[in-house]
Amino acid sequence: MKKIVTIAGTRPQLVKIAAVSHILRQSFHEVLVNTGQHYDYNLAGVFFDELNIPKPDYDLGIGSDTHGRQTGKMLIAAEEVVEKEQPDAILVYGDTNSTLAGALVASKLHIPLIHIEAGLRSYNKLMPEEINRIMTDHVSDLLFTPTEVAVRNLQNEGITKGVFTVGDVMYDAVLNNMERAEQKYNLADLGLTPKEYYLGTIHRPDNTDSKEVLTAILTSFSKLKEAIYLPLHPRTKKKVEQFGLGHILEQAKNIKIVEPVSYLEMLLLEKNAKGIITDSGGIQKEAYFMKVPCITLRTQTEWVETVETGWNQLVDPLVTDLANILQKTQNGQPIDNIYGDGNAATRITKILEQEI
């Protein structure tokens, strides 16, 4: 049985592993390497428990740092693992520093690289994720794209070999886990009523690391007539304290601050929200899967299909009044199977059986 080393380390990547690994392992010996990029238990550790993700064979424990230092530490540690394991291929997901580290290890050691969620582009190179995904795609041997738009992005950069459109593994994950989410959690226990609250998430540096931008976002939240349920990311919590913005949250009676929630709890919150306000790439897609209107606090997105179909609207938090936007928000027009049919993991495994 051929061996694949999977390198990952963030919360969204763990969701994708949960969708793929149990199928992949029917045909391959998978060695799972957790870089520890998301080191908070509420952000990552609970996912292993809740989603029955295989225990990592290696836990690198890298933790938080600047982009350069974090990626460098991952590169050193992951290279040692790969040299020991001698895999037939290395598999990475998405666009994080863990992704880039795995891609560089594969490239330097001349090991075939598999990139799941290839071909995404926001066309904003100020975003570290954009650099990570571009560099990873250009050294990958097998590129699994979620949509035809992603295929065209790769073609525009001269990448045509080894490209396969398989659908989105995050859609697999949602279909696999929604029933479990509804069995485990109850909105009433959270003090919420379906379609009578907005779900908010903020974590990207563009929104959290500027006092002006973060103030604008929290002030916009506080002006909403409806309740907004806000699981507070550790980065955001730290910046709220650093910038002295706690008074905005304390005075806003409509904002309910909670600790980061598990994946299953987030699915339930997304499905029953009146709308979602986020800067997360993954949550934009999940909002589309649930057919819940989404406001994205960014000026670009790699998930252009969600905008084109009208389910997602990009908003600059410095120049837009959220309350006014939400009053005008309408449901979009779904396009069936835009992200596949929920069997991406099976397609990926079958292709790998032929290609590796």
Side-chain angles (χ1 to χ4, degrees):
M1 183 177 287
K2 292 194 173 180
K3 182 189 294 185
I4 294 176
V5 165
T6 295
I7 298 175
T10 65
R11 170 183 175 133
Q13 289 172 333
L14 296 180
V15 174
K16 296 162 192 171
I17 287 171
V20 174
S21 279
H22 70 285
I23 295 177
L24 184 70
R25 291 182 178 212
Q26 295 173 16
S27 302
F28 295 93
H29 174 203
E30 183 186 35
V31 176
L32 181 57
V33 179
N34 177 27
T35 66
Q37 185 171 340
H38 278 175
Y39 54 94
D40 183 281
Y41 179 79
N42 286 335
L43 283 181
V46 67
F47 277 42
F48 285 96
D49 302 334
E50 194 172 70
L51 299 180
N52 298 318
I53 297 171
K55 182 180 178 181
D57 298 280
Y58 296 89
D59 205 326
L60 305 184
I62 301 300
S64 182
D65 212 325
T66 64
H67 285 290
R69 290 190 183 98
Q70 187 183 61
T71 307
K73 291 175 183 177
M74 291 175 183
L75 182 57
I76 293 169
E79 185 178 63
E80 291 177 357
V81 171
V82 172
E83 287 178 334
K84 177 182 177 182
E85 291 291 338
Q86 294 293 307
D88 296 287
I90 291 175
L91 188 156
V92 295
Y93 292 87
D95 53 21
T96 69
N97 289 341
S98 300
T99 309
L100 179 59
L104 290 173
V105 169
S107 177
K108 298 296 185 182
L109 297 180
H110 306 293
I111 297 171
L113 178 64
I114 305 159
H115 187 198
I116 294 178
E117 211 174 70
L120 305 185
R121 297 293 183 268
S122 68
Y123 296 101
N124 177 7
K125 290 188 176 180
L126 294 177
M127 294 174 60
E129 295 88 352
E130 183 77 351
I131 301 301
N132 291 345
R133 61 176 73 107
I134 290 172
M135 294 182 69
T136 299
D137 282 341
H138 279 265
V139 296
S140 292
D141 299 277
L142 296 172
L143 303 96
F144 294 110
T145 69
T147 66
E148 290 299 329
V149 171
V151 174
R152 292 197 292 272
N153 290 339
L154 293 173
Q155 290 173 342
N156 290 338
E157 296 174 17
I159 302 173
T160 57
K161 184 179 179 182
V163 177
F164 300 89
T165 305
V166 294
D168 197 311
V169 295
M170 283 190 69
Y171 188 40
D172 293 22
V174 169
L175 295 180
N176 293 342
N177 289 291
M178 180 53 73
E179 185 176 346
R180 293 174 61 203
E182 292 174 329
Q183 291 174 346
K184 184 169 184 177
Y185 295 103
N186 189 303
L187 273 190
D189 294 339
L190 304 177
L192 298 172
T193 302
K195 304 304 177 183
E196 292 187 7
Y197 66 91
Y198 286 99
L199 175 64
T201 76
I202 323 162
H203 78 283
R204 287 188 178 270
D206 285 353
N207 287 330
T208 61
D209 292 1
S210 163
K211 182 177 180 179
E212 182 184 15
V213 175
L214 188 55
T215 300
I217 292 171
L218 297 180
T219 301
S220 287
F221 283 177
S222 71
K223 291 180 179 179
L224 299 180
K225 295 179 180 179
E226 295 85 354
I228 181 162
Y229 197 81
L230 186 62
L232 204 60
H233 192 283
R235 173 201 292 276
T236 312
K237 182 178 181 181
K238 179 181 177 181
K239 292 298 181 179
V240 167
E241 295 170 353
Q242 178 182 328
F243 296 144
L245 302 179
H247 64 283
I248 300 177
L249 298 176
E250 292 166 5
Q251 294 171 8
K253 297 181 180 179
N254 68 318
I255 303 177
K256 182 175 177 58
I257 300 292
V258 298
E259 292 293 317
V261 300
S262 73
Y263 174 68
L264 294 183
E265 192 172 354
M266 181 60 81
L267 288 184
L268 187 72
L269 289 166
E270 290 169 351
K271 181 178 180 180
N272 291 283
K274 181 176 182 180
I276 295 173
I277 309 168
T278 187
D279 58 10
S280 162
I283 291 177
Q284 292 172 50
K285 280 191 300 177
E286 288 168 350
Y288 176 86
F289 299 157
M290 314 280 186
K291 303 302 175 276
V292 174
C294 183
I295 299 293
T296 296
L297 301 173
R298 290 162 52 182
T299 55
Q300 298 102 359
T301 179
E302 58 273 29
W303 300 109
V304 294
E305 301 89 355
T306 63
V307 176
E308 291 171 350
T309 55
W311 284 96
N312 187 13
Q313 186 170 351
L314 301 178
V315 165
D316 184 339
L318 282 179
V319 299
T320 307
D321 181 1
L322 279 179
N324 185 47
I325 288 288
L326 289 170
Q327 286 178 357
K328 301 176 181 178
T329 298
Q330 302 291 326
N331 291 347
Q333 299 299 316
I335 299 176
D336 291 339
N337 297 330
I338 192 171
Y339 289 111
D341 58 4
N343 292 302
T346 298
R347 289 193 184 89
I348 289 168
T349 301
K350 288 182 178 179
I351 292 168
L352 291 179
E353 288 172 355
Q354 298 173 351
E355 298 291 335
I356 294 180

